[in-house]
Amino acid sequence: MDTILVLDFGGQTAQLICRRIRDAGVFSTVVPGDAPLDREALRGVKGIVLSGSPHSVYQPSAPRPDPALRAAGVPILGICYGLQRLVTDAGGRVAAGKTREYGRSRIHIRKPSPLFDGVADRFVSWMSHSDVIERPAGLATVAVSENGHPAAMQDGAGIYGLQFHPEVSHCEFGARILSNFAAGVCGARRDWNLDRFLESIAARVRAQVGAAPVVTLISGGVDSAVVAALLLRALDPGQVHLLYVDTGLMRDAETEEVLASLRLLGAANLCAVDASQRFFAALAGVTDPERKRAVVGDEFVRVAVDELERLGIAGACLAQGTLYTDLIESGKGVGARADVIKSHHNVRSPLIEAKRESGALVEPLAELYKDEVRRLGRRLGLPARVVGRHPFPGPGLSVRVIGEVTRERCRTLRAADRILIEELHRRGLYDAIWQAFCVLLPVQSVGVAGDVRRYGSVLAIRAITSEDGMTADVYPMAPDDLLAISSRITNAVPDVGRVVYDVSSKPPATIEWE
Ligand code: XMP
């Protein structure tokens, strides 16, 4: 099959490049930046993209592609670090710039390029770099940034480079530029679709698991529900054990619906266990967010292992709904070169690592972004309400109760969160928001209830829009809606004395507070 290969040098958005190309109907896959580019690796490859990186090309430890890259005889597109790598490897020069180009920036096209077919002469892009190309080694500038620096280059012989990120959703015409490269410049056929995707993931799962039993840890969220539905489709349903662990850290009433819909999809072995006591005991006194993630992750697997023993399937594989965003933010993208932003609990827990190393960890969604998972879920027959639910972090409410996590504080948070979500549904706002939730702060503030002084907790409301969780904008909630929601919460939830609205985008903030 015609393929565009993406070399991952550790940029936060390397997999997103791939995903945008797949959205254009062309198959694309990511390999580590230094992967060998031999005949086998190049089978079906029509073009190669070099991703961005947290490294600078002049750092001695900076990652490099296989020197056989240019001999592959296919068009090459370098993005940001990828372009700088192409330039330096060809004898050019990149230097530290005086101005850092970061965030939105306007691009001005100066010369025609097949990358810019159907693209406006000026458009808004997303930049994140400080190094500047000083000697371009045979590449001609075809577009410039607001600061007059080269923003797009080409050599007329199949080498292209962009100093901005066409893969991020904030880049106007970004998807068009990548599609132009894949289908136009490289001539790759557009024969990739969701059904082929489903087929290939199912085949991979069958190859990994064989006839062994496999246990899926159901969290109540979208990702694990889709994993379960996928396993029920790919394997013999008798092989598939669905284990729901009630951690006590779940949102209100979310699990029943998921369990009911999985029964409808033919789940034969479905088991629920209330382990909340164990989780609260393990979390007692823990306030550090990374520690919380490790504690919840470890406890989760311990409970799972105990249950597997009880059920007599201790050797079973474990399946979980890790997404690409979890891997990349934990520094575990394909090239393992990305910085750690947050250790998503399902990636870094030592017990999960052990399962991963023994080949007994099944993560069929690890290449996917949230909206792709939703599309897959719909295709697999999960109800729209389950598939459309806002994302929820694996460590659950433990990362939304800032400070120590207790059963009481979770109860308070859950009550406030239920009101927020109910109100969003009632006002027809739920589906316009990518993720909305409450965060309970370890801050007490003074208020007045009746004529009596009240000392209550501060609760933050967060509502964001996003395409994939990698970047996010604040949802501009109407003041009337906010006032009504805040008033309902402070009236109905005794411990909450004050409500604030979080107005930070990602970056620089992350979506969750911890
Ligand atoms: P951040 O907070 O990193 O979140 O901007 C990006 C998306 O990931 C979710 N999230 C997590 N999911 N385990 C998960 O399974 C985690 O530890 C975790 N931390 C954040 C978050 O809710 C958002 O959708």
Side-chain angles (χ1 to χ4, degrees):
M1 181 179 315
D2 286 1
T3 301
I4 303 296
L5 203 60
V6 176
L7 304 187
D8 177 3
F9 294 111
Q12 292 285 319
T13 51
Q15 182 77 36
L16 203 46
I17 301 170
C18 201
R19 182 255 146 95
R20 294 274 178 254
I21 295 172
R22 290 197 302 247
D23 280 351
V26 174
F27 180 61
S28 178
T29 190
V30 178
V31 295
D34 58 0
L37 297 173
D38 50 25
R39 266 200 28 213
E40 180 53 30
L42 290 173
R43 182 135 36 109
V45 170
K46 298 288 178 207
I48 299 177
V49 181
L50 277 60
S51 84
S53 173
H55 294 269
S56 255
V57 277
Y58 43 77
Q59 287 171 341
S61 61
R64 287 167 175 272
D66 183 333
L69 172 69
R70 283 180 189 245
V74 295
I76 299 171
L77 171 64
I79 293 179
C80 201
Y81 173 90
L83 165 60
Q84 296 167 6
R85 187 78 268 167
L86 287 171
V87 166
T88 39
D89 288 355
R93 201 178 123 76
V94 171
K98 290 192 186 70
T99 41
R100 192 165 170 235
E101 296 190 294
Y102 182 76
R104 284 163 215 260
S105 170
R106 200 167 277 280
I107 302 295
H108 300 249
I109 297 180
R110 293 280 190 246
K111 290 190 185 142
S113 164
L115 292 183
F116 296 139
D117 261 4
V119 175
D121 287 348
R122 292 172 180 201
F123 61 92
V124 173
S125 76
W126 183 267
M127 293 192 138
S128 178
H129 72 112
S130 49
D131 296 344
V132 173
I133 292 166
E134 279 194 352
R135 203 173 57 231
L139 291 173
T141 298
V142 291
V144 294
S145 70
E146 270 159 25
N147 298 324
H149 296 315
M153 312 185 93
Q154 62 191 36
D155 71 350
I159 305 284
Y160 297 83
L162 300 173
Q163 194 53 79
F164 58 91
H165 288 273
E167 67 277 19
V168 307
S169 55
H170 296 91
C171 180
E172 287 179 340
F173 300 103
R176 176 74 193 231
I177 293 169
L178 287 171
S179 165
N180 284 344
F181 176 71
V185 173
C186 304
R189 273 192 307 264
R190 297 182 193 269
D191 56 3
W192 185 245
N193 58 39
L194 199 61
D195 285 329
R196 293 191 80 159
F197 208 174
L198 187 53
E199 244 172 64
S200 75
I201 299 178
R204 227 180 302 153
V205 168
R206 277 193 289 271
Q208 184 182 357
V209 168
V214 51
V215 178
T216 309
L217 305 172
I218 300 295
S219 72
V222 181
D223 308 334
S224 60
V226 173
V227 168
L230 183 71
L231 294 184
L232 289 169
R233 169 79 66 93
L235 304 171
D236 171 356
Q239 245 181 297
V240 181
H241 297 258
L242 307 183
L243 177 61
Y244 168 63
V245 177
D246 182 355
T247 59
L249 305 166
M250 312 305 295
R251 284 175 293 193
D252 192 58
E254 64 185 337
T255 315
E256 296 72 15
E257 210 168 0
V258 173
L259 295 186
S261 48
L262 290 172
R263 273 192 203 99
L264 282 179
L265 288 183
N269 311 312
L270 191 52
C271 164
V273 49
D274 178 359
S276 55
Q277 198 65 38
R278 286 176 66 164
F279 281 87
F280 286 119
L283 282 166
V286 178
T287 54
D288 175 70
E290 289 293 89
R291 224 15 244 129
K292 283 183 189 176
R293 284 189 156 77
V295 166
V296 174
D298 288 356
E299 198 55 42
F300 202 82
V301 176
R302 267 189 223 113
V303 171
V305 167
D306 289 353
E307 284 305 304
L308 300 192
E309 268 171 19
R310 198 177 62 76
L311 295 167
I313 44 169
C317 296
L318 269 186
Q320 60 171 7
T322 315
L323 302 193
Y324 193 73
T325 32
D326 308 342
L327 288 174
I328 191 75
E329 294 210 334
S330 305
K332 286 276 185 176
V334 168
R337 283 293 197 148
D339 270 4
V340 176
I341 308 292
K342 240 174 230 194
S343 300
H344 287 230
H345 83 293
N346 47 353
V347 177
R348 280 284 163 132
S349 148
L351 289 169
I352 290 281
E353 296 275 7
K355 280 279 177 192
R356 195 192 305 281
E357 269 159 32
S358 65
L361 190 66
V362 184
E363 297 182 302
L365 310 180
E367 285 178 7
L368 304 186
Y369 286 84
K370 198 79 180 187
D371 56 329
E372 293 180 299
V373 170
R374 288 204 167 106
R375 277 196 281 149
L376 205 58
R378 277 192 286 272
R379 187 60 124 250
L380 287 162
L382 286 169
R385 269 212 310 284
V386 168
V387 170
R389 187 166 280 149
H390 289 175
F392 188 58
L397 298 184
S398 78
V399 290
R400 294 182 179 171
V401 169
I402 312 301
E404 190 176 4
V405 184
T406 62
R407 202 182 274 276
E408 288 63 41
R409 289 184 58 76
C410 281
R411 200 174 290 135
T412 298
L413 179 57
R414 194 177 295 116
D417 201 68
R418 184 186 58 235
I419 294 173
L420 170 68
I421 299 303
E422 261 174 30
E423 288 292 326
L424 294 179
H425 276 300
R426 209 160 65 79
R427 288 157 197 274
L429 303 176
Y430 189 82
D431 291 332
I433 294 172
W434 200 76
Q435 195 170 7
F437 54 91
C438 295
V439 183
L440 190 62
L441 309 188
V443 176
Q444 299 280 296
S445 89
V446 176
V448 47
D451 287 330
V452 181
R453 174 190 156 102
R454 175 169 120 160
Y455 203 48
S457 294
V458 180
L459 181 95
I461 293 180
R462 182 122 170 92
I464 52 102
T465 56
S466 178
E467 257 197 32
D468 42 46
M470 295 297 288
T471 56
D473 285 320
V474 178
Y475 179 72
M477 185 106 62
D480 282 355
D481 291 323
L482 265 181
L483 296 184
I485 293 169
S486 157
S487 146
R488 220 190 121 188
I489 291 176
T490 44
N491 278 312
V493 186
D495 186 41
V496 175
R498 197 176 289 259
V499 172
V500 296
Y501 192 56
D502 179 353
V503 291
S504 326
S505 60
K506 171 183 180 177
T510 51
I511 295 174
E512 303 289 342
W513 277 42
E514 288 196 337

PDB file of all heavy atoms in Angstrom, residues 440-454:
ATOM      1  N   LEU A 440     -11.465  20.789  42.340  1.00  0.00           N
ATOM      2  CA  LEU A 440     -11.632  21.237  43.723  1.00  0.00           C
ATOM      3  C   LEU A 440     -10.274  21.686  44.257  1.00  0.00           C
ATOM      4  O   LEU A 440      -9.319  20.904  44.296  1.00  0.00           O
ATOM      5  CB  LEU A 440     -12.201  20.093  44.573  1.00  0.00           C
ATOM      6  CG  LEU A 440     -12.656  20.474  45.976  1.00  0.00           C
ATOM      7  CD1 LEU A 440     -13.798  21.488  45.946  1.00  0.00           C
ATOM      8  CD2 LEU A 440     -13.101  19.231  46.747  1.00  0.00           C
ATOM      9  N   LEU A 441     -10.194  22.946  44.658  1.00  0.00           N
ATOM     10  CA  LEU A 441      -8.909  23.504  45.075  1.00  0.00           C
ATOM     11  C   LEU A 441      -8.707  23.367  46.592  1.00  0.00           C
ATOM     12  O   LEU A 441      -9.684  23.413  47.340  1.00  0.00           O
ATOM     13  CB  LEU A 441      -8.834  24.985  44.690  1.00  0.00           C
ATOM     14  CG  LEU A 441      -9.172  25.327  43.242  1.00  0.00           C
ATOM     15  CD1 LEU A 441      -8.856  26.784  42.962  1.00  0.00           C
ATOM     16  CD2 LEU A 441      -8.391  24.446  42.282  1.00  0.00           C
ATOM     17  N   PRO A 442      -7.469  23.271  47.024  1.00  0.00           N
ATOM     18  CA  PRO A 442      -7.219  23.165  48.459  1.00  0.00           C
ATOM     19  C   PRO A 442      -7.156  24.563  49.076  1.00  0.00           C
ATOM     20  O   PRO A 442      -6.249  24.886  49.842  1.00  0.00           O
ATOM     21  CB  PRO A 442      -5.853  22.467  48.518  1.00  0.00           C
ATOM     22  CG  PRO A 442      -5.176  22.895  47.271  1.00  0.00           C
ATOM     23  CD  PRO A 442      -6.235  23.179  46.243  1.00  0.00           C
ATOM     24  N   VAL A 443      -8.102  25.401  48.694  1.00  0.00           N
ATOM     25  CA  VAL A 443      -8.122  26.792  49.144  1.00  0.00           C
ATOM     26  C   VAL A 443      -9.485  27.035  49.770  1.00  0.00           C
ATOM     27  O   VAL A 443     -10.500  26.708  49.174  1.00  0.00           O
ATOM     28  CB  VAL A 443      -7.942  27.758  47.937  1.00  0.00           C
ATOM     29  CG1 VAL A 443      -8.049  29.205  48.388  1.00  0.00           C
ATOM     30  CG2 VAL A 443      -6.633  27.494  47.225  1.00  0.00           C
ATOM     31  N   GLN A 444      -9.470  27.588  50.955  1.00  0.00           N
ATOM     32  CA  GLN A 444     -10.728  27.918  51.614  1.00  0.00           C
ATOM     33  C   GLN A 444     -10.952  29.420  51.479  1.00  0.00           C
ATOM     34  O   GLN A 444      -9.996  30.197  51.536  1.00  0.00           O
ATOM     35  CB  GLN A 444     -10.649  27.563  53.112  1.00  0.00           C
ATOM     36  CG  GLN A 444     -10.416  26.079  53.356  1.00  0.00           C
ATOM     37  CD  GLN A 444     -11.698  25.273  53.227  1.00  0.00           C
ATOM     38  OE1 GLN A 444     -12.621  25.450  53.998  1.00  0.00           O
ATOM     39  NE2 GLN A 444     -11.755  24.420  52.227  1.00  0.00           N
ATOM     40  N   SER A 445     -12.184  29.815  51.277  1.00  0.00           N
ATOM     41  CA  SER A 445     -12.422  31.252  51.191  1.00  0.00           C
ATOM     42  C   SER A 445     -13.673  31.606  51.990  1.00  0.00           C
ATOM     43  O   SER A 445     -14.542  30.767  52.199  1.00  0.00           O
ATOM     44  CB  SER A 445     -12.552  31.688  49.730  1.00  0.00           C
ATOM     45  OG  SER A 445     -13.874  31.581  49.320  1.00  0.00           O
ATOM     46  N   VAL A 446     -13.730  32.853  52.401  1.00  0.00           N
ATOM     47  CA  VAL A 446     -14.827  33.279  53.266  1.00  0.00           C
ATOM     48  C   VAL A 446     -16.034  33.653  52.421  1.00  0.00           C
ATOM     49  O   VAL A 446     -15.911  34.256  51.361  1.00  0.00           O
ATOM     50  CB  VAL A 446     -14.381  34.484  54.123  1.00  0.00           C
ATOM     51  CG1 VAL A 446     -15.550  35.010  54.957  1.00  0.00           C
ATOM     52  CG2 VAL A 446     -13.228  34.084  55.015  1.00  0.00           C
ATOM     53  N   GLY A 447     -17.216  33.291  52.910  1.00  0.00           N
ATOM     54  CA  GLY A 447     -18.455  33.685  52.251  1.00  0.00           C
ATOM     55  C   GLY A 447     -19.499  33.968  53.304  1.00  0.00           C
ATOM     56  O   GLY A 447     -19.204  33.912  54.504  1.00  0.00           O
ATOM     57  N   VAL A 448     -20.714  34.232  52.843  1.00  0.00           N
ATOM     58  CA  VAL A 448     -21.780  34.461  53.795  1.00  0.00           C
ATOM     59  C   VAL A 448     -23.013  33.707  53.311  1.00  0.00           C
ATOM     60  O   VAL A 448     -23.370  33.770  52.141  1.00  0.00           O
ATOM     61  CB  VAL A 448     -22.040  35.977  54.008  1.00  0.00           C
ATOM     62  CG1 VAL A 448     -22.135  36.728  52.701  1.00  0.00           C
ATOM     63  CG2 VAL A 448     -23.282  36.235  54.833  1.00  0.00           C
ATOM     64  N   ALA A 449     -23.625  32.933  54.206  1.00  0.00           N
ATOM     65  CA  ALA A 449     -24.829  32.178  53.873  1.00  0.00           C
ATOM     66  C   ALA A 449     -25.885  32.597  54.882  1.00  0.00           C
ATOM     67  O   ALA A 449     -25.695  32.408  56.078  1.00  0.00           O
ATOM     68  CB  ALA A 449     -24.554  30.682  53.959  1.00  0.00           C
ATOM     69  N   GLY A 450     -26.966  33.170  54.410  1.00  0.00           N
ATOM     70  CA  GLY A 450     -27.919  33.794  55.340  1.00  0.00           C
ATOM     71  C   GLY A 450     -27.176  34.949  55.991  1.00  0.00           C
ATOM     72  O   GLY A 450     -26.529  35.752  55.320  1.00  0.00           O
ATOM     73  N   ASP A 451     -27.141  34.995  57.301  1.00  0.00           N
ATOM     74  CA  ASP A 451     -26.365  36.046  57.971  1.00  0.00           C
ATOM     75  C   ASP A 451     -25.123  35.467  58.611  1.00  0.00           C
ATOM     76  O   ASP A 451     -24.486  36.109  59.443  1.00  0.00           O
ATOM     77  CB  ASP A 451     -27.235  36.717  59.041  1.00  0.00           C
ATOM     78  CG  ASP A 451     -28.287  37.594  58.374  1.00  0.00           C
ATOM     79  OD1 ASP A 451     -28.000  38.112  57.283  1.00  0.00           O
ATOM     80  OD2 ASP A 451     -29.389  37.712  58.931  1.00  0.00           O
ATOM     81  N   VAL A 452     -24.791  34.253  58.189  1.00  0.00           N
ATOM     82  CA  VAL A 452     -23.723  33.533  58.883  1.00  0.00           C
ATOM     83  C   VAL A 452     -22.469  33.459  58.022  1.00  0.00           C
ATOM     84  O   VAL A 452     -22.554  33.234  56.810  1.00  0.00           O
ATOM     85  CB  VAL A 452     -24.217  32.092  59.208  1.00  0.00           C
ATOM     86  CG1 VAL A 452     -23.160  31.311  59.960  1.00  0.00           C
ATOM     87  CG2 VAL A 452     -25.513  32.163  59.991  1.00  0.00           C
ATOM     88  N   ARG A 453     -21.323  33.674  58.635  1.00  0.00           N
ATOM     89  CA  ARG A 453     -20.056  33.533  57.930  1.00  0.00           C
ATOM     90  C   ARG A 453     -19.894  32.065  57.534  1.00  0.00           C
ATOM     91  O   ARG A 453     -20.165  31.171  58.344  1.00  0.00           O
ATOM     92  CB  ARG A 453     -18.928  33.951  58.880  1.00  0.00           C
ATOM     93  CG  ARG A 453     -17.533  33.728  58.340  1.00  0.00           C
ATOM     94  CD  ARG A 453     -16.541  33.957  59.475  1.00  0.00           C
ATOM     95  NE  ARG A 453     -15.301  33.249  59.236  1.00  0.00           N
ATOM     96  CZ  ARG A 453     -14.186  33.820  58.799  1.00  0.00           C
ATOM     97  NH1 ARG A 453     -14.167  35.117  58.579  1.00  0.00           N
ATOM     98  NH2 ARG A 453     -13.105  33.122  58.612  1.00  0.00           N
ATOM     99  N   ARG A 454     -19.457  31.838  56.265  1.00  0.00           N
ATOM    100  CA  ARG A 454     -19.262  30.468  55.804  1.00  0.00           C
ATOM    101  C   ARG A 454     -17.845  30.378  55.252  1.00  0.00           C
ATOM    102  O   ARG A 454     -17.399  31.278  54.538  1.00  0.00           O
ATOM    103  CB  ARG A 454     -20.296  30.176  54.722  1.00  0.00           C
ATOM    104  CG  ARG A 454     -20.133  28.843  54.063  1.00  0.00           C
ATOM    105  CD  ARG A 454     -21.363  28.561  53.210  1.00  0.00           C
ATOM    106  NE  ARG A 454     -20.948  28.404  51.817  1.00  0.00           N
ATOM    107  CZ  ARG A 454     -21.683  27.791  50.891  1.00  0.00           C
ATOM    108  NH1 ARG A 454     -22.869  27.345  51.180  1.00  0.00           N
ATOM    109  NH2 ARG A 454     -21.239  27.669  49.670  1.00  0.00           N
TER     110      ARG A 454
END
